[in-house]
Amino acid sequence: MKKMAPDSILDVRDLTVKFFLDEGTVHAVNGVSFSVPAGRSVGIVGESGCGKTVSAYSITRLLPKTARISGEILFRERGGDITNITELEPDGGDMRRIRGKEISMIFQEPMSSLSPVHKISNQLSEAIIQFQGLTKRQARARVIELLQLVGIPQAERRVDDYPFQLSGGMRQRAMIAMALARNPRVLIADEPTTALDVTLQAQVLNLIRDMQDEFKLSLILITHDLGVVAHMVDYVSIMYLGMVVESGPVIEIFDNPKHPYTRGLMHSIPKLRGRRGERVEPIPGFVPSAYALQEGCPFCERCPMREERCTKGIPQRVQVGSEHYVCCHVYQPGEGEPDVVNA
Ligand SMILES: Nc1ncnc2c1ncn2[C@@H]1O[C@H](COP(=O)(O)OP(=O)(O)O)[C@@H](O)[C@H]1O
Ligand SMILES: [Mg+2]
């Protein structure tokens, strides 16, 4: 049997996902590794197109048929057995059992998990009856309880609404209730607040955190916004072009960012109490195309600390602190701290 760290519920190891299209091969995820300790929260952060959603869909095996997946996704079952999700049939019994009941997802767009033609009550009670063996009446009571828990006012009445009758924020809450209906152990939230305005964002993030405590969930929070993870997660992995370039405890990453890309992301967060006229510094350049695999460091072209060696060979993962790792040529063991640019 495969081994995992004793506190780990999910271990993604060297995950690679390619899409084989007529136009060429898209290298969407290129050797991503991260672990989720049981009951803790992990943030996956990176610009649009860096492979966050494809990584999440790999965990739930919801990728289109054009995708080829390799590497390991180890999941610790309730009984303690370890299942390698990459070896399961996407539509097979084991995967259908894990998807939803063990690992549940919420999305930016609630309508990707709510059906527009069914009442909230029917959608949620179906999930509950199917997975928890309750009667219809018991399931309805549980649905109302869940809707109350996620902060939907007058839940006894709203339960008979169709999704379109709810406001955007309420729909987001109903989707979270839907994800929790099957009592999962892992929740993956993929940009859950990106489509919401700022005040609603904070409410929904707080709700996710409360639900994490209430249900003792292990959480993977995916976002392009480094600012969002600051108060939400214990650990963070920073992704660039299908790779994790830096990872560590969130406090450590904020206090002591090492990778030039992470530093760039920090500088591009607008400060609430910034001085007037102080500029937010965007990272120059664009994310390169995922059609061609880079020869050197993926960030090399945009990097202010670029050196000759950066164009040759993918940088190895180097430990730079307790649980803190960085993939950057500039941090080789024994070379000391490099000159810091833009920090
Ligand atoms: N179904 C697909 N077919 C081909 N390429 C895809 C597909 N889905 C995503 N990609 C590509 O994979 C890369 C990663 O995408 P994605 O995981 O959606 O990024 P993110 O969620 O970080 O914004 C991008 O280059 C994207 O264009
Ligand atoms: Mg995405």
Side-chain angles (χ1 to χ4, degrees):
M1 194 163 85
K2 298 277 182 190
K3 283 225 169 95
M4 294 168 80
D7 65 338
S8 223
I9 187 164
L10 190 74
D11 260 9
V12 176
R13 292 186 187 161
D14 205 20
L15 177 69
T16 300
V17 184
K18 298 183 174 106
F19 293 98
F20 290 98
L21 309 178
D22 292 342
E23 308 87 277
T25 304
V26 179
H27 300 271
V29 178
N30 305 309
V32 159
S33 301
F34 63 89
S35 330
V36 185
R40 309 296 289 277
S41 48
V42 172
I44 308 280
V45 180
E47 280 166 294
S48 174
C50 72
K52 304 181 298 294
T53 295
V54 171
S55 300
Y57 279 3
S58 306
I59 296 171
T60 45
R61 298 300 302 275
L62 287 171
L63 293 169
K65 292 223 162 21
T66 48
R68 290 286 171 279
I69 174 172
S70 65
E72 292 178 338
I73 300 172
L74 303 182
F75 173 64
R76 193 187 304 281
E77 305 274 3
R78 286 174 206 249
D81 286 354
I82 294 173
T83 299
N84 183 0
I85 286 178
T86 58
E87 287 174 354
L88 301 180
E89 283 298 322
D91 302 322
D94 277 332
M95 198 59 237
R96 277 187 283 128
R97 172 180 59 77
I98 290 176
R99 196 189 298 133
K101 192 175 177 188
E102 300 286 350
I103 305 178
S104 201
M105 269 186 90
I106 56 179
F107 307 87
Q108 179 175 342
E109 178 40 66
M111 295 315 277
S112 31
S113 36
L114 295 173
S115 155
V117 295
H118 295 103
K119 290 179 177 177
I120 301 285
S121 54
N122 294 347
Q123 302 191 42
L124 268 76
S125 27
E126 196 181 326
I128 289 173
I129 290 169
Q130 193 183 349
F131 286 95
Q132 289 162 31
L134 303 181
T135 64
K136 270 193 170 165
R137 178 194 286 249
Q138 288 167 327
R140 185 181 167 86
R142 177 71 183 139
V143 171
I144 292 172
E145 203 177 279
L146 271 173
L147 295 182
Q148 283 166 341
L149 206 59
V150 297
I152 294 184
Q154 298 181 299
E156 325 66 43
R157 290 205 358 237
R158 304 318 297 261
V159 68
D160 292 312
D161 281 355
Y162 289 91
F164 73 85
Q165 292 174 288
L166 302 176
S167 68
M170 288 302 145
R171 264 208 297 267
Q172 205 77 5
R173 287 170 189 273
M175 173 176 62
I176 294 173
M178 178 85 186
L180 299 174
R182 296 166 186 184
N183 214 6
R185 291 190 299 147
V186 178
L187 180 68
I188 306 177
D190 187 4
E191 311 251 12
T193 59
T194 302
L196 301 174
D197 66 44
V198 177
T199 47
L200 277 180
Q201 267 189 27
Q203 287 177 17
V204 171
L205 288 173
N206 284 338
L207 172 64
I208 292 173
R209 236 192 10 198
D210 291 348
M211 292 300 106
Q212 190 201 354
D213 286 348
E214 173 85 25
F215 288 83
K216 312 240 175 324
L217 293 168
S218 312
L219 174 70
I220 302 178
L221 178 66
I222 295 177
T223 172
H224 64 275
D225 183 348
L226 188 57
V228 161
V229 299
H231 304 288
M232 285 290 293
V233 301
D234 304 312
Y235 296 94
V236 64
S237 290
I238 310 286
M239 276 185 75
Y240 189 78
L241 213 62
M243 294 180 207
V244 173
V245 296
E246 181 161 11
S247 63
V250 72
I251 297 171
E252 170 77 8
I253 298 284
F254 270 83
D255 281 355
N256 198 7
K258 295 289 190 194
H259 199 285
Y261 179 59
T262 313
R263 289 179 177 168
L265 285 179
M266 306 270 268
H267 285 275
S268 56
I269 303 175
K271 290 196 195 78
L272 216 47
R273 292 192 192 82
R275 284 190 297 278
R276 190 162 171 273
E278 193 175 35
R279 280 164 54 90
V280 174
E281 298 284 347
I283 302 172
F286 299 96
V287 181
S289 152
Y291 275 105
L293 256 190
Q294 305 271 313
E295 208 175 290
C297 167
F299 189 57
C300 171
E301 272 174 38
R302 302 170 75 188
C303 184
M305 288 159 75
R306 180 179 51 229
E307 299 172 3
E308 176 74 29
R309 58 182 159 176
C310 302
T311 55
K312 301 181 190 88
I314 304 282
Q316 296 299 305
R317 200 170 91 131
V318 179
Q319 182 159 13
V320 287
S322 165
E323 301 181 282
H324 185 179
Y325 298 88
V326 64
C327 288
C328 172
H329 282 298
V330 175
Y331 295 90
Q332 292 307 307
E335 290 193 17
E337 183 85 356
D339 292 340
V340 172
V341 178
N342 188 21

